[in-house]
């Protein structure tokens, strides 16, 4: 064999490595996916300095014989070693035939593998085999990568800090563990255990092992299907929120996928249940006929393209929304004693590695838990069959005002319970539901204004406003062109509360102009309903009469979601008679 051929092959490997191995997590991903392909049920990842110094993956998979062990480092190691279990992501797997060769070309690799018959040890540095000999006879594979990018210093510079590299690895293994609850994963860094899952094939247990008790005990199961899609998994109650999108996990046919459209559907389903800028913890498995999936995207990206994606996003949106709606309960004012999670190491890692330090500080109020058995059996039906149930009970309640505290909170009672309401949040919810209802009604009632409101806009804003003004006209706003870049509003729908018309209309005009370029009517109407209902509602520090309080209580119980304002803040909390007895130790 000519030496030239060997050299050019190694050069190709190094170039490929530069393209696809961007960070330590890319190496971890390759090695762990190899372990999964080898049917491993236990996979341990040991890092040193976040993987910069050392990456080791130990699995209990089927292992390799000597021939395959050496072949796995050559550039076109194909299906002999890498098996494609489905056609989905076949191109990624095609790339993966070259991945180990690429990694070996820019690092030092020690491979110890055994298929139950013979043990093999291979030592490679910079793509050059230094040693091959018989090795230990433990069935499975141990692969250790050190000195990453030692011969390509330009690439070495691209590695981030130890904390960032580690965090990427941790995030990847977390996602992978959630996508494969049947495999036990373990991750250590500098001998410190950061993640451990038990591989019992129970997704809720895996969620518990990764996120801890507070999250896992607040997850709701979802299950639904349509002609082309089947979805299942867990979504968090709105009491468990994070400050970034990283905890919305979607898997398509078992593969990790990050897709903006799916994330948007999930996030939209939580509208009015949470503050903007906070995101839920969600783990959703999506099953789809692989003919609908197209993976013409760079192998290191985890995105996909799918036909009928709007059908899928609709299914996800409706299923989550229904699930949240059916599980709404008045928050219990008494926080149950925090039970310690078994996985305290997770807390440490949160401290050390910043992106994980973002969990929304838990409200001092815990949403009352639904017994787990009920949750499990509840949603085992297609979404078309879902029906309203829980809230009907609440709508029958009759609450009586007791009084107002600090001109901000209302105390109320019924036979069994005491309630505390935030008067603004409660009123805002009532107005929000009233306005969104008005949006749907065909008949529009208009109040003419005695003095029209005149807006002088700049040319750009004027143009935008005129393009979008039909939305307002449909709602019952009378708008007239009033000369150069000027508009006059001469009438408004009757539901705008008197005394607040001018302020509301100014807000609405601003909102029409300010909405971003991809103007979506539904989104605009929702923002408008939120802003106007906030403006129209009683504020904190406002006196309320008994009659006003009574009206507010009556209106609130009739709401579809009486428990939050439209921005996700709680509006009502409950102390049961038992809670009170416990507080005053009438019972033990
Ligand atoms: Zn408000
Ligand atoms: Zn609000």
């Amino acid at each position: 064999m000519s030496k030239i051929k060997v050299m050019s092959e190694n050069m190709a490997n190094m170039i490929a490595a530069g393209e696809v191995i961007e960070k330590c997590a890319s190496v971890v991903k390759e090695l762990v996916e190899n372990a999964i392909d080898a049917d491993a049920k236990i996979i341990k990842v040991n890092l040193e300095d976040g993987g910069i110094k050392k990456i080791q993956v130990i699995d209990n998979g089927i292992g390799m014989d000597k021939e395959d062990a050496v072949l796995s480092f050559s550039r076109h190691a194909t299906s002999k070693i890498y098996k494609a279990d489905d056609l989905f992501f076949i191109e990624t797997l095609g790339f993966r035939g070259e991945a180990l060769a690429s990694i070996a070309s820019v690092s030092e690799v020690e491979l110890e593998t055994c298929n139950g018959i013979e043990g093999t040890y291979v030592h490679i540095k910079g793509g050059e085999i230094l040693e091959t000999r018989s090795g230990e006879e433990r069935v499975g594979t141990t692969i250790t990568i050190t000195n990453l990018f030692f011969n390509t210093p330009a690439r070495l510079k691209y590695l981030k800090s130890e904390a960032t590299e580690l965090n990427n690895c941790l995030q990847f293994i977390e996602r992978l563990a959630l996508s494969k609850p049947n495999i036990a994963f373990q991750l250590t860094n500098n001998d410190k255990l950061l993640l451990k899952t038990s591989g019992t094939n129970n997704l809720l247990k895996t969620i518990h092992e990764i996120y801890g008790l507070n999250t896992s005990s607040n997850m709701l199961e979802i299950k639904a299907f349509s002609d082309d899609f089947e979805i299942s998994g867990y979504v968090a109650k709105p009491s468990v929120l994070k400050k970034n999108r990283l905890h919305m996990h979607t898997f398509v046919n078992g593969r990790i996928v990050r897709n903006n459209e799916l994330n948007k559907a999930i996030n939209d389903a939580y509208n009015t249940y949470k503050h903007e800028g906070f995101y839920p913890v969600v783990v959703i498995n999506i099953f789809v006929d692989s003919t609908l999936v197209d993976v013409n995207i760079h192998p290191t990206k985890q995105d996909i393209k799918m036909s009928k994606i709007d059908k899928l996003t609709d299914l996800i949106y409706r299923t989550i929304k229904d699930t949240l709606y059916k599980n709404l309960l008045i928050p219990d004012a008494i926080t149950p004693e925090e039970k310690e999670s078994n996985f305290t190491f997770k807390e440490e890692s949160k401290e050390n590695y910043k992106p994980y330090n973002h969990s929304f500080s838990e409200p001092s109020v815990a949403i009352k838990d639904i017994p787990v058995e009920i949750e499990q059996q509840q949603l085992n039906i297609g979404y078309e069959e879902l029906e309203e149930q829980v809230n009907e009970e609440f709508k029958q309640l009759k609450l009586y005002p007791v009084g107002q505290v600090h001109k901000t909170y209302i105390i109320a009672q019924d036979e069994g319970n005491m309630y505390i309401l935030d008067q603004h949040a409660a009123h805002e919810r009532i107005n929000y539901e009233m306005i969104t209802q008005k949006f749907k009604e065909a008949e529009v009632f208009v109040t003419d204004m005695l003095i029209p409101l005149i807006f002088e806009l700049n040319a750009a804003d004027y143009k935008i406003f005129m393009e979008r003004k039909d939305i307002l006209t449909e709602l019952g706003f009378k708008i007239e062109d009033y000369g150069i870049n000027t508009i006059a509003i001469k009438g408004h729908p009757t539901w705008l509360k008197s005394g607040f018309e001018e302020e509301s209309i100014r807000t609405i005009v601003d909102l029409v102009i300010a909405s971003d370029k991809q103007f979506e009517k539904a989104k605009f109407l929702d923002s408008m309903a939120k802003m106007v209902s906030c403006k129209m509602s009683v504020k904190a520090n406002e006196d309320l009469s008994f009659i006003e309080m009574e009206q507010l209580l009556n209106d609130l119980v009739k709401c579809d979601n009486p428990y939050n304002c439209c921005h996700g803040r709680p509006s009502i909390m409950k102390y049961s008679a038992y809670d009170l007895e416990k507080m005053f130790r009438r019972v033990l």
Side-chain angles (χ1 to χ4, degrees):
M1 269 286 147
S2 83
K3 208 175 171 185
I4 292 162
K5 188 165 178 254
V6 176
M7 276 176 64
S8 68
E9 178 165 319
N10 202 36
M11 191 60 81
N13 287 336
M14 285 171 72
I15 291 165
E19 265 175 46
V20 296
I21 304 167
E22 303 162 317
K23 49 195 178 189
C24 296
S26 334
V27 176
V28 169
K29 179 172 181 289
E30 285 311 320
L31 303 183
V32 171
E33 283 179 354
N34 286 348
I36 292 171
D37 282 349
D39 287 332
K41 288 291 165 265
I42 302 170
I43 299 174
K44 294 179 180 173
V45 181
N46 299 319
L47 306 176
E48 274 178 31
D49 296 354
I52 296 168
K53 205 165 160 195
K54 188 175 109 180
I55 298 168
Q56 181 179 61
V57 174
I58 305 171
D59 73 54
N60 69 341
I62 54 173
M64 288 180 274
D65 61 23
K66 194 169 189 173
E67 192 192 340
D68 281 353
V70 175
L71 189 65
S72 68
F73 292 103
S74 76
R75 190 160 164 75
H76 295 287
T78 43
S79 55
K80 192 158 188 213
I81 295 145
Y82 301 93
K83 60 171 183 182
D85 47 2
D86 61 347
L87 288 171
F88 183 43
F89 280 79
I90 186 80
E91 292 177 34
T92 315
L93 287 168
F95 147 74
R96 286 187 44 216
E98 303 165 12
L100 205 48
S102 299
I103 293 170
S105 71
V106 294
S107 67
E108 186 167 353
V109 183
E110 283 179 279
L111 174 76
E112 190 112 30
T113 186
C114 174
N115 60 357
I117 300 162
E118 55 177 344
T120 306
Y121 170 87
V122 184
H123 185 187
I124 293 186
K125 190 170 183 182
E128 205 181 315
I129 297 187
L130 302 179
E131 190 186 356
T132 310
R133 58 166 164 82
S134 300
E136 233 183 275
E137 290 186 6
R138 178 192 70 83
V139 178
T141 301
T142 299
I143 185 161
T144 310
I145 313 286
T146 47
N147 291 319
L148 185 61
F149 296 133
F150 78 98
N151 53 356
T152 49
R155 296 294 311 173
L156 187 59
K157 277 196 301 203
Y158 285 108
L159 286 183
K160 304 270 170 24
S161 70
E162 179 188 337
T164 306
E165 293 294 331
L166 175 59
N167 217 343
N168 287 330
C169 295
L170 184 58
Q171 267 173 37
F172 172 71
I173 298 293
E174 282 185 353
R175 270 175 194 266
L176 198 64
L178 289 166
S179 76
K180 309 250 179 250
N182 59 328
I183 298 177
F185 288 93
Q186 187 180 307
L187 177 76
T188 68
N189 183 52
N190 300 338
D191 295 325
K192 194 160 140 195
L193 183 63
L194 298 178
L195 174 147
K196 188 178 161 92
T197 65
S198 52
T200 50
N201 206 17
N202 176 334
L203 179 56
L204 191 57
K205 187 165 188 205
T206 310
I207 292 171
H208 175 83
E209 288 161 341
I210 288 174
Y211 285 107
L213 181 71
N214 187 43
T215 299
S216 64
S217 62
N218 281 297
M219 298 301 280
L220 304 167
E221 191 176 16
I222 57 164
K223 214 169 197 142
F225 52 84
S226 64
D227 288 346
D228 299 298
F229 303 101
E230 206 183 306
I231 61 173
S232 65
Y234 290 88
V235 301
K237 292 179 192 170
S239 56
V240 186
L241 296 173
K242 304 279 181 188
K243 262 191 172 166
N244 60 51
R245 288 163 221 260
L246 291 173
H247 308 278
M248 302 198 286
H249 305 282
T250 45
F251 309 122
V252 175
N253 294 358
R255 306 280 172 172
I256 297 169
V257 159
R258 290 196 209 202
N259 178 282
N260 284 339
E261 284 167 276
L262 298 181
N263 281 352
K264 185 177 178 300
I266 294 166
N267 208 35
D268 285 351
Y270 279 82
N271 184 31
T272 86
Y273 292 123
K274 64 173 186 60
H275 278 281
E276 248 171 77
F278 287 93
Y279 302 91
V281 179
V282 161
V283 184
I284 302 180
N285 281 296
I286 299 159
F287 296 97
V288 49
D289 191 314
S290 42
T291 55
L292 291 179
V293 181
D294 169 24
V295 197
N296 261 330
I297 296 177
H298 195 265
T300 60
K301 301 281 179 290
Q302 293 171 330
D303 202 355
I304 48 160
K305 277 206 172 74
M306 218 186 292
S307 18
K308 301 192 184 177
I309 184 113
D310 46 334
K311 291 248 165 60
L312 174 61
T313 50
D314 186 53
L315 179 68
I316 289 176
Y317 173 81
R318 291 180 57 180
T319 305
I320 296 179
K321 208 174 161 75
D322 284 343
T323 304
L324 294 174
Y325 179 74
K326 290 174 75 180
N327 286 284
L328 282 171
L329 287 174
I330 309 180
D332 248 358
I334 307 286
T335 314
E337 280 142 53
E338 278 294 320
K339 282 167 234 159
E340 267 302 307
S341 160
N342 293 330
F343 298 97
T344 40
F345 56 80
K346 193 67 205 153
E347 294 306 318
E348 291 168 4
S349 68
K350 273 179 194 163
E351 290 304 318
N352 291 342
Y353 305 109
K354 236 188 149 206
Y356 276 76
N357 205 5
H358 279 334
S359 59
F360 181 34
S361 62
E362 295 298 336
S364 59
V365 172
I367 305 287
K368 190 171 189 172
D369 287 332
I370 297 173
V372 176
E373 317 86 68
I374 299 175
E375 270 180 55
Q376 303 288 359
Q377 69 190 23
Q378 201 163 32
L379 292 155
N380 218 345
I381 40 174
Y383 77 98
E384 272 128 41
E385 297 162 52
L386 292 176
E387 48 184 1
E388 304 173 2
Q389 27 172 241
V390 176
N391 279 33
E392 292 313 311
E393 234 170 84
F394 189 78
K395 287 182 184 177
Q396 308 303 323
L397 287 186
K398 175 78 187 141
L399 308 186
Y400 298 92
V402 176
Q404 200 187 15
V405 178
H406 297 159
K407 296 184 186 176
T408 300
Y409 308 101
I410 297 169
I411 308 285
Q413 63 178 331
D414 62 8
E415 271 167 36
N417 308 291
M418 178 180 108
Y419 302 86
I420 302 183
L421 292 89
D422 178 312
Q423 64 192 35
H424 174 70
H427 199 205
E428 191 179 88
R429 163 56 58 178
I430 295 164
N431 283 325
Y432 173 75
E433 293 201 4
M434 180 272 289
I435 293 172
T436 45
Q437 180 56 37
K438 295 286 179 198
F439 285 170
K440 290 180 203 146
E441 287 171 9
E443 212 172 347
V444 177
F445 297 94
V446 180
T447 309
D448 285 319
M449 297 169 79
L450 288 174
I451 307 159
L453 270 177
I454 311 292
F455 292 87
E456 281 179 47
L457 306 172
N458 66 38
D461 287 352
Y462 174 78
K463 187 167 167 286
I464 294 172
F465 186 87
M466 292 314 268
E467 279 165 12
R468 296 171 177 173
K469 79 172 186 358
D470 288 351
I471 294 179
L472 296 183
T473 315
E474 276 169 35
L475 297 176
F477 290 90
K478 281 192 191 168
I479 301 163
E480 267 178 39
D481 209 344
Y482 212 68
I484 304 157
N485 298 337
T486 306
I487 51 161
I489 306 225
K490 296 190 160 175
H492 61 76
T494 44
W495 50 257
L496 268 194
K497 195 176 156 193
S498 73
F500 293 87
E501 308 95 332
E502 185 174 340
E503 203 186 342
S504 301
I505 291 171
R506 286 193 186 284
T507 314
I508 292 166
V509 170
D510 283 346
L511 191 65
V512 173
I513 297 165
S515 306
D516 49 350
K517 285 194 188 93
Q518 308 114 314
F519 184 79
E520 276 177 62
K521 186 177 169 187
K523 208 170 172 183
F524 165 77
L525 288 178
D526 191 56
S527 314
M528 173 174 151
K530 284 176 179 167
M531 285 173 80
V532 174
S533 57
C534 184
K535 289 251 176 298
M536 280 167 54
S537 298
V538 55
K539 306 279 179 299
N541 271 312
E542 267 185 47
D543 264 324
L544 291 181
S545 70
F546 247 76
I547 293 168
E548 287 170 321
M549 285 191 263
E550 210 165 14
Q551 184 68 49
L552 193 124
L553 293 169
N554 286 342
D555 291 345
L556 185 71
V557 296
K558 291 197 201 89
C559 285
D560 274 337
N561 170 12
Y563 316 112
N564 302 114
C565 83
C566 56
H567 307 95
R569 273 205 308 119
S571 48
I572 180 166
M573 269 172 218
K574 182 176 84 180
Y575 290 83
S576 69
Y578 180 72
D579 291 334
L580 296 173
E581 283 168 349
K582 254 175 80 178
M583 273 166 71
F584 292 99
R585 299 207 191 141
R586 289 174 170 273
V587 292
L588 290 171

